[in-house]
């Protein structure tokens, strides 16, 4: 009987070892499974955040198409140092792209030069001629604003460039008013306002009549734009 005891000890140790090894493997498998579940949960969460972030990014920038019945460009120049000769361009088009949360945006306004109107037809023909705007050679003028500046919640400036008679120069519009509202007639959101600027017409090669007609041209831009449907 005594000779069998060492064998029993060996068997017991083997059983004990295998039992602990099995438990270790089982615990390791459980830990691995738990870690994989946590990793999968994190990946799903990050993917969801990515989708939400992408959706928000797309939704933040909104496009508004200019309403031609409420979008006009007015101009004025001093005549012989006395009164101011004024007029406007009757046909314009454009769009506003606005991210109100980020306070960024762009604006583009295209002007049909042939639509210039001073109220005096003979003068309008002169303005369309080569001596002034040369509407036949340069039928369009463009303002492209690429930077919106704010003071607190208020839009104050739009920084961009004006292209006129084939020449492009910097131009900054001062926002006198800017607002968005829901139109009860159009059933759409509308954004727009009044903007002012001034520039030297000589920079664009329009020198006729100087100094009797001022080199400084004052602009007033009225724009309202409908929010584009998704």
């Amino acid at each position: 009987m005594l000779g069998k005891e060492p064998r029993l000890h060996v068997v017991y140790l083997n059983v004990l070892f295998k039992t602990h090894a099995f438990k270790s493997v089982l615990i390791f498998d459980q830990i691995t499974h738990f870690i994989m579940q946590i990793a999968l949960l994190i990946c799903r969460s990050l993917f969801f955040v990515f989708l939400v972030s992408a959706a928000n990014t797309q939704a933040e920038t909104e496009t508004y198409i200019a309403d031609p019945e409420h979008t006009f460009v007015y101009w004025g120049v001093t005549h012989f140092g006395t009164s101011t000769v004024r007029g406007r361009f009757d046909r314009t088009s454009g769009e506003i792209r606005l991210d109100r949360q980020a306070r960024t945006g762009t604006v583009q306004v295209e002007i049909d030069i042939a639509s210039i109107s001073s109220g005096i037809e003979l003068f309008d023909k002169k303005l369309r001629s080569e001596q002034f705007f040369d509407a036949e050679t340069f039928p369009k003028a463009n303002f492209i604003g690429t930077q919106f500046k704010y003071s607190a919640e208020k839009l104050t400036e739009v920084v961009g460039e004006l292209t006129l008679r084939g020449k492009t120069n910097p131009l900054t519009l001062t926002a006198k008013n800017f607002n968005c509202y829901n139109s009860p007639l159009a059933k759409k959101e509308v954004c727009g306002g009044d903007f002012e600027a001034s520039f030297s017409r000589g920079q664009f090669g329009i020198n006729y009549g100087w100094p009797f007609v001022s080199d400084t041209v004052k602009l007033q831009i009225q724009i309202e734009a409908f929010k584009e449907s998704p």
Side-chain angles (χ1 to χ4, degrees):
M1 295 294 293
L2 294 176
K4 294 181 179 180
E5 290 181 359
R7 293 181 181 179
L8 291 175
H9 284 295
V10 171
V11 171
Y12 175 76
L13 289 175
N14 285 336
V15 172
L16 183 63
F17 175 79
K18 290 179 179 180
T19 301
H20 281 287
F22 176 77
K23 289 182 178 180
S24 298
V25 171
L26 182 61
I27 293 172
F28 178 79
D29 287 343
Q30 291 175 339
I31 293 174
T32 302
H33 179 73
F34 177 76
I35 292 174
M36 290 180 65
Q37 291 295 320
I38 293 296
L40 182 61
L41 180 61
I42 292 173
C43 289
R44 287 176 177 174
S45 299
L46 290 175
F47 183 68
F48 176 77
V49 170
F50 171 78
L51 290 179
V52 172
S53 177
N56 287 339
T57 299
Q58 293 178 353
E60 285 169 357
T61 301
E62 298 168 322
T63 301
Y64 299 79
I65 305 301
D67 174 11
E69 295 182 357
H70 292 89
T71 302
F72 297 100
V73 177
Y74 298 86
W75 53 268
V77 290
T78 303
H79 183 246
F80 279 86
T82 54
S83 64
T84 299
V85 177
R86 294 182 175 88
R88 79 176 190 183
F89 295 94
D90 290 334
R91 293 190 296 273
T92 58
S93 61
E95 70 172 27
I96 300 171
R97 294 178 61 83
L98 183 63
D99 184 337
R100 278 178 271 190
Q101 184 176 2
R103 296 183 183 178
T104 59
T106 61
V107 60
Q108 180 177 350
V109 178
E110 184 176 82
I111 302 167
D112 183 348
I113 295 298
S115 72
I116 194 167
S117 174
S118 65
I120 306 172
E121 183 57 33
L122 186 62
F123 185 40
D124 292 344
K125 289 181 180 180
K126 188 75 171 180
L127 292 171
R128 295 186 193 105
S129 73
E130 296 179 4
Q131 293 175 322
F132 283 95
F133 289 100
D134 195 358
E136 185 175 348
T137 306
F138 305 102
K140 304 291 184 182
N142 290 278
F143 173 77
I144 299 178
T146 55
Q147 183 182 2
F148 282 21
K149 291 187 176 182
Y150 284 80
S151 175
E153 300 294 326
K154 183 180 179 181
L155 177 64
T156 57
E157 289 183 338
V158 178
V159 180
E161 292 181 330
L162 175 65
T163 299
L164 178 64
R165 278 183 59 110
K167 299 179 183 295
T168 301
N169 288 294
L171 184 70
T172 297
L173 304 182
T174 300
K176 308 304 290 185
N177 182 53
F178 187 82
N179 187 44
C180 297
Y181 70 97
N182 291 314
S183 171
L185 298 177
K187 307 298 183 184
K188 292 182 178 180
E189 184 182 23
V190 179
C191 286
D194 295 316
F195 299 84
E196 293 182 355
S198 61
F199 64 90
S200 163
R201 61 189 178 97
Q203 287 185 312
F204 298 93
I206 307 175
N207 298 303
Y208 183 84
W210 187 86
F212 309 110
V213 178
S214 172
D215 177 62
T216 301
V217 179
K218 295 181 179 180
L219 289 181
Q220 292 180 320
I221 300 176
Q222 164 196 340
I223 183 170
E224 290 192 26
F226 292 112
K227 185 177 179 180
E228 191 175 47
S229 300

